[in-house]
Structures are given as structure tokens and as C-alpha cells.
Amino acid sequence: MNGRIGRAQAEEIGRIVARIAADEIMPRFRAGMTAGAEGVDGLRRKTSAFDVVTAADEATERALGAALLRMFPGAVLIGEEAADAGGGALPADLIATADLAFIIDPLDGTKNFSSGLPLFGTMLAATIRGEIVFGLIHDPVTGETLTALRGEGAWAATAGGHSRELRVAAAEPVAQMHGVAGTNFLPQPLRGRLARNLDRVGLNFWLRCAAQEYRLAATGGCHFLVYNRLMPWDHAAGWLLHREAGGHSAHLDGTPYLPTHTTGGLICAPDEASWLALREALFAEGAV
């Protein structure tokens, strides 16, 4: 099987994702909602009240997996919901060895979706023997799709067919940077250290949705992202989009990110100098 994905194939995948999102996600958004998130189709907890799944997640993953296998027979599918149903174990060996694997997050930001907040998205990445070669984030609400091909750049396409190349934000001093610094999954003492140092940046926010956060970073809408928990369906696509839009990223210790890594943290910044300055500002007390 030829695992190479060219621009024409990438754009066709984008159209498939957009169609499935229109069919499976948007008809369920805010449909049948009562107080809070009650009444959402198929809503149930996974690990906590924050970590939930809906029928939209599961239907989208099934439809997208079937469509990808029709287009790429023999490809390996690694979906968030299928992994959770199997106990949540990451099949790192499949990502590392498969000639072509697709990593699927059918509905990132499910808590926002189930709360009626229009901040969610579909994330899709492709790897060839552990190397991320394709990344896509689709916003079902606006219809915009962000796509990246390794070594070939990143672009956004609107529902109307207009396209633009993506660039990360221009570098700024740390005190003028704004972005996402997620403390929730950081272990102590890093969690406390980051919380104490957040006043060194201009603004910190959190959208409860990696798809939308990476979308902002890749389009120049914010300067940085800081994460700790690194499940591949949450980060592989966004990492490539940010990289191909000109950004610099690495684990907290400076080593390169790989989709088989679930720990080590991740900092994304406009360039290497910004990355170094941001790490020093946020994790200054002792070694990371």
C-alpha cells in the first residue's frame, strides 16, 4: 500500500470530514437539550463528569473510519472512542510500525458540545511508521478546515472554497504573549510552579478543546500552547499544523514530540527563541 498523501488526497479527506461532520455532528448539536447537558443523545461519562462521550462522537468515528478505509484499504485506524472502549490503552506499536495509520478524534471538545457551546472540532492525523505526515482540524460550526502536509505547509479552506496559507503569530516578548497553559494534568510541583508563573505572560485562557486551541495557534490567533497529557488524537494533527505554519514545539525538556509519546509535556511557540523564553518564564524554578 502506498501510504503517501498528496495535496489532492488531503483536500478530498477534508471534504469527507466536512460531510460526515454535517451529517453526524451538527444535527445532534443542541438537539433535545434540557437543563445543562441532560438529554444530549447518548451522553455518558467516561472517566469523570468532564470526560464524556455522546452518540455524535461514536457515529462520527464509525463513519470516518469506514470512509478512510474505502480510500486507503489496509490502513490502520486508531480512534479515541475505540481506544477508550478497549480500556484506553494507546497502541503505540501500531503508530510506530504501520505503513499508514489514521489517528481520529471524531469530536474534540465533547464537554463543550454537550453543553451547547460551539467550540468543538474533528481532528485527524496520518502517520507513516511513526512520522506524522498529515494533519487536519475541521470546525463543524463554521465549516472551516485546516490541513497540513509534512514539508508542504498548512492551509485553511472555508466552506465556500476560499483558501489561505497558515502562519503562526509573530514573536513577542513573553509579557505580551497570550495563549493556553493547561495546568489540569500537570503533576506537582510543575503544576504549582506554572500556576505561580502565569502572571509573567500577557494572558492565559483555556477553551476546553485542543482542536480550537491548535486552530488559534496555527492561524496566528494566539502565541503559545502548553500541555501535559499528550494522547495522540488530541495533539498529532494540531502539532503538525502548528509546525507547518512555521511554529516551534518540543517537550518540556526540549526533546522532539512524537505521536507515541503521552507524557513529557509540550510547549508550542512562534519560534525557538520564543519557546526558550516561555519555558524559562513559566517553569523557572528548578529543572523541568
Side-chain angles (χ1 to χ4, degrees):
M1 178 180 61
N2 181 5
R4 186 182 182 279
I5 298 175
R7 182 146 183 162
Q9 289 175 305
E11 291 176 344
E12 176 61 20
I13 294 170
R15 288 188 287 270
I16 290 170
V17 172
R19 174 182 55 78
I20 291 172
D23 289 347
E24 303 293 353
I25 295 176
M26 292 310 296
R28 293 178 167 95
F29 181 50
R30 293 177 174 165
M33 291 186 68
T34 57
E38 296 176 5
V40 176
D41 187 10
L43 176 68
R44 66 181 187 277
R45 293 187 183 191
K46 292 196 283 187
T47 60
S48 68
F50 177 74
D51 185 19
V52 296
V53 64
T54 71
D57 298 76
E58 295 169 331
T60 301
E61 186 168 306
R62 286 194 300 270
L64 187 51
L68 289 169
L69 287 179
R70 286 193 294 271
M71 192 171 179
F72 299 94
V76 171
L77 301 180
I78 301 168
E80 178 182 11
E81 305 314 327
D84 282 338
L90 172 65
D93 55 334
L94 288 179
I95 295 176
T97 61
D99 289 335
L100 178 63
F102 285 99
I103 302 170
I104 306 168
D105 189 341
L107 180 52
D108 186 68
T110 303
K111 187 64 173 176
N112 288 344
F113 173 85
S114 65
S115 301
L117 185 65
L119 286 171
F120 48 86
T122 298
M123 305 178 78
L124 177 66
T127 61
I128 294 177
R129 291 177 292 282
E131 180 179 41
I132 305 169
V133 297
F134 163 81
L136 178 148
I137 295 176
H138 176 70
D139 183 341
V141 176
T142 66
E144 185 175 64
T145 303
L146 275 58
T147 308
L149 287 172
R150 193 178 189 100
E152 298 184 37
W155 65 94
T158 67
H162 300 289
S163 181
R164 71 185 192 280
E165 297 301 307
L166 300 185
R167 293 300 301 174
V168 298
E172 297 279 0
V174 168
Q176 297 177 31
M177 289 187 189
H178 62 280
V180 173
T183 62
N184 298 71
F185 298 107
L186 272 170
Q188 294 292 4
L190 287 182
R191 182 172 183 172
R193 186 181 306 164
L194 177 59
R196 288 191 300 272
N197 290 336
L198 279 176
D199 63 354
R200 298 182 179 184
V201 302
L203 177 69
N204 177 57
F205 61 92
W206 184 39
L207 300 181
R208 301 196 309 185
C209 177
Q212 294 294 344
E213 291 160 0
Y214 273 112
R215 183 182 175 206
L216 276 177
T219 58
C222 71
H223 295 99
F224 67 85
L225 305 172
V226 179
Y227 296 111
N228 184 61
R229 186 171 181 263
L230 303 178
M231 302 310 291
W233 38 79
D234 291 325
H235 296 281
W239 174 86
L240 186 65
L241 279 160
H242 181 262
R243 171 192 165 113
E244 290 297 324
H248 178 81
S249 61
H251 289 306
L252 300 188
D253 65 1
T255 57
Y257 164 78
L258 292 174
T260 52
H261 297 169
T262 59
T263 60
L266 183 66
I267 300 175
C268 300
D271 55 28
E272 186 175 8
S274 299
W275 188 96
L276 290 167
L278 190 66
R279 183 179 68 165
E280 174 65 21
L282 294 180
F283 298 100
E285 298 175 24
V288 298

